[in-house]
Amino acid sequence: MNMNLDSDATRVLPLNRRSFLTLLGVGAATPAVLAGCSSEAPGGAGDPSGGDVTSALPDYIPIDYVEPDFPSVNGSTAGYATIPTDLVQVFDAPPGSGSEFTAMTPLWGAIPPTEGNQYFDAVNAAIGSTIQFQISDGNAYGDKLAAVLASERDVPDWVSIPTWNIPPRFDQAVEALFEDLTPFLAGSAVEKYPNLANIPTDVWKFCVFDGQLKALPFPGEIITDAIFYRDDVLEAEGYTGQPANGQELLDLAKELTGGDRWAANDLWNSSVIIHGVVPKWRINDDGTLTHRVETDEYRAALEWNAALFAQGSVHPDAVADNSGDAKTRFESGQVLISNDGVGGWHEALGRQLASNPTYSQRPFTPFAADGGTPVLWKGNPANIFSFLKKNSDPAKIEELLAVADFLASPFGTTEFELINFGLEDLHFSVDANGLPVATELAATEVQPTYIFLTDPPVVNAKVQYPGFVEAFCTWMADAAQYVNDPAFFGMQITEPTQYASLAQPFEDLEKDISRGRKSMADLDAAIETWKTSGGEELRAFYTDILDAQ
């Protein structure tokens, strides 16, 4: 049997709904669900301290059933240049005890039948427990969650919750409704579940609420975004170097612009990257906090992006803030530089290589705007969690964790293949590269469900794109050396609702200053307004959390 990690629904987990839904292949078609995305991982800290995280964390015991061709470096994504011909069977017998459980999960696609579904029947037989899925439209999942969590009797045994669907007063729901998994998984207790122990510590940090391990994770990448360029076009035109600082990127953009071609889409996110702008707060040497909008790096990023627009290097549609066609402009060659999530790399190859076999894009090697050492900020390595409903019978929790251990079986195992692709010859066949090719039945029966309960660490095995795995993994391994933990990394913090609107004026201002409609003086005024409109209170809120650590 053969397998591959090319089920887009199971891979790179980014920081927001847009890139996640794009991963599922539906992002561009579902704009309504994208409103209000946030890179801040909301959670459920019941008190300002957020609780002690460390004592609740499981030990990290990495395993590779199949050795990667490109091992993880500093948390980077491991890669496989070929598909293993012989898979490892991890479980000699089903881990479950024959119980039946209900599970609620989202789905951005056609909801499959739950009765008479040979995929569900096969996985349930393999795990030894029956999971009865309550699958809900991902576009309305937040509303469904809020209704379900409002009534304890309606809460399923297992609930998948994306961070962007966190309902109000979620901290109370976590405490009242869901099992504390700390006694079952913290420290060496996780050794009973080796596939769960294979999930890195950083991922588990996001599952701790008020000092208790409350959730099981859907892991993702530590680096979520990159600055891409069309290396095929640039090489053909004699550009072989890489920019080493912000000015060199501006100079390159100016040189590439002319005729019916512009150098770039809006590169605001790129400017944030090269200037090392903190995601939200910077902890100063004296223990005080500086918000990102108050930093010199944020100011410099705005000035840099405004210079890019001012020199005429941005496509007119991007100037008009038409971001929906950014990928099309980049892949067609109308622009040659664009920001994107790392998952967008293989998606573009999938769209373009059939009609344009020489198509190629690459991320720039990390560089700092001032030419110094780059500073990259670690992305949230888990943005979807699942929770187990409180149960007075510890044996039932242990059975669910045994099932979760099965679902966390990593790449290279028969269990992974079954969960992601179903049954060979029924749900998929294998092509010449060892890649699974879905059958018509799979389109009806096999949809992302079990993976939203828990999933193994992400790897890259997209061998159908020549050279991609090596290019991706070597780039990320190099970039990982520059990754830093942002302030409050891994802490589940629920901000008071009165501060929810503080960020919006800056999002608007970023567009206006970049396009020359407003000046840096407007930034100064906006910062003063932010301080008096709740910013200082928000700083005090986070200072209390910091002081409690």
Side-chain angles (χ1 to χ4, degrees):
M1 296 178 70
N2 298 274
M3 68 177 298
N4 165 256
L5 189 64
D6 198 42
S7 173
D8 285 349
T10 68
R11 295 312 94 214
V12 184
L13 187 66
L15 291 176
N16 56 53
R17 282 171 286 185
R18 180 180 299 279
S19 47
F20 178 71
L21 292 173
T22 299
L23 221 82
L24 292 176
V26 298
T30 55
V33 78
L34 304 180
C37 298
S38 173
S39 61
E40 184 75 10
D47 63 69
S49 72
D52 174 43
V53 172
T54 305
S55 62
L57 297 173
D59 289 346
Y60 176 45
I61 309 171
I63 51 175
D64 284 317
Y65 293 108
V66 179
E67 290 293 327
D69 298 292
F70 304 98
S72 174
V73 178
N74 296 322
S76 70
T77 300
Y80 294 84
T82 58
I83 304 302
T85 55
D86 297 312
L87 305 182
V88 176
Q89 182 172 331
V90 179
F91 289 84
D92 296 329
S97 304
S99 301
E100 182 173 306
F101 301 101
T102 53
M104 179 179 173
T105 57
L107 181 62
W108 293 269
I111 295 177
T114 54
E115 298 296 329
N117 186 314
Q118 296 175 83
Y119 167 67
F120 288 148
D121 291 345
V123 178
N124 285 337
I127 63 179
S129 303
T130 299
I131 304 294
Q132 292 284 357
F133 279 98
Q134 301 171 7
I135 306 171
S136 297
D137 177 9
N139 296 337
Y141 197 67
D143 293 336
K144 178 70 172 179
L145 267 176
V148 167
L149 297 182
S151 173
E152 181 178 356
R153 67 181 182 179
D154 294 333
V155 177
D157 300 306
W158 207 338
V159 185
S160 173
I161 302 182
T163 56
W164 57 82
N165 287 138
I166 295 292
R169 296 179 296 280
F170 184 61
D171 54 328
Q172 299 173 30
V174 169
E175 176 60 31
L177 299 175
F178 300 125
E179 190 71 31
D180 177 13
L181 303 179
T182 311
F184 301 92
L185 296 177
S188 61
V190 78
E191 293 178 12
K192 185 177 180 180
Y193 311 103
N195 293 323
L196 295 179
N198 182 48
I199 296 175
T201 301
D202 275 353
V203 180
W204 286 111
K205 288 179 180 178
F206 284 77
C207 299
V208 176
F209 294 73
D210 276 354
Q212 297 179 336
L213 186 65
K214 283 283 193 172
L216 299 166
F218 181 117
E221 315 253 19
I222 67 165
I223 299 175
T224 60
D225 296 276
I227 311 168
F228 288 98
Y229 67 101
R230 287 289 303 275
D231 64 298
D232 54 344
V233 177
L234 266 63
E235 183 175 347
E237 296 184 7
Y239 298 94
T240 58
Q242 293 258 330
N245 56 56
Q247 186 58 52
E248 289 187 8
L249 182 55
L250 286 175
D251 293 343
L252 175 62
K254 188 172 184 178
E255 191 171 355
L256 292 175
T257 301
D260 294 327
R261 187 179 76 185
W262 288 262
N265 284 310
D266 182 355
L267 295 186
W268 168 241
N269 287 340
S270 299
S271 188
V272 166
I273 290 172
I274 66 175
H275 287 90
V277 179
V278 295
K280 189 157 191 175
W281 294 101
R282 185 179 67 206
I283 302 174
N284 303 312
D285 292 339
D286 61 359
T288 59
L289 293 174
T290 299
H291 195 274
R292 73 184 305 230
V293 301
E294 301 174 293
T295 64
D296 292 339
E297 292 84 1
Y298 181 81
R299 178 177 293 272
L302 279 171
E303 291 172 339
W304 185 93
N305 207 44
L308 179 76
F309 275 80
Q311 69 182 27
S313 297
V314 179
H315 192 284
D317 289 346
V319 175
D321 200 23
N322 176 4
S323 60
D325 293 331
K327 291 178 185 290
T328 300
R329 294 191 292 269
F330 181 66
E331 292 172 27
S332 67
Q334 296 177 59
V335 304
L336 302 179
I337 304 171
S338 192
N339 348 269
D340 203 355
V342 294
W345 189 352
H346 76 265
E347 292 171 353
L349 296 176
R351 286 189 292 265
Q352 297 299 324
L353 285 179
S355 59
N356 182 8
T358 63
Y359 179 92
S360 183
Q361 66 178 74
R362 292 290 180 96
F364 283 122
T365 299
F367 65 91
D370 64 1
T373 302
V375 174
L376 304 179
W377 297 104
K378 189 179 295 181
N380 297 345
N383 275 345
I384 293 183
F385 315 100
S386 69
F387 297 79
L388 305 183
K389 186 178 182 180
K390 282 187 176 180
N391 195 309
S392 59
D393 184 359
K396 293 302 182 184
I397 300 300
E398 290 177 343
E399 182 175 359
L400 285 167
L401 291 175
V403 170
D405 190 53
F406 183 102
L407 300 181
S409 298
F411 177 79
T413 66
T414 59
E415 292 82 2
F416 180 94
E417 180 182 68
L418 174 65
I419 294 162
N420 286 277
F421 307 111
L423 297 169
E424 188 173 8
D425 298 327
L426 184 65
H427 297 113
F428 71 92
S429 59
V430 177
D431 68 11
N433 292 319
L435 298 168
V437 179
T439 64
E440 290 186 11
L441 181 63
T444 301
E445 293 191 342
V446 182
Q447 291 288 349
T449 45
Y450 295 95
I451 65 168
F452 291 138
L453 301 178
T454 195
D455 207 40
V458 61
V459 302
N460 189 329
K462 292 178 169 55
V463 301
Q464 66 269 45
Y465 310 123
F468 169 68
V469 173
E470 179 177 4
F472 180 97
C473 292
T474 54
W475 170 81
M476 186 174 283
D478 174 60
Q481 67 181 302
Y482 305 116
V483 168
N484 296 266
D485 288 2
F488 306 103
F489 178 77
M491 295 182 63
Q492 294 290 357
I493 299 170
T494 301
E495 291 183 359
T497 56
Q498 64 264 35
Y499 306 129
S501 61
L502 283 177
Q504 186 59 52
F506 293 96
E507 294 173 10
D508 297 335
L509 196 59
E510 287 157 8
K511 295 178 181 180
D512 287 339
I513 291 178
S514 293
R515 290 159 176 79
R517 297 191 291 259
K518 290 191 176 180
S519 70
M520 300 305 291
D522 294 295
L523 172 62
D524 296 330
I527 292 173
E528 290 305 312
T529 300
W530 173 85
K531 289 179 179 179
T532 58
S533 300
E536 291 295 357
E537 289 87 349
L538 185 62
R539 194 195 317 273
F541 172 82
Y542 275 94
T543 299
D544 287 344
I545 297 174
L546 183 63
D547 290 345
Q549 301 309 301

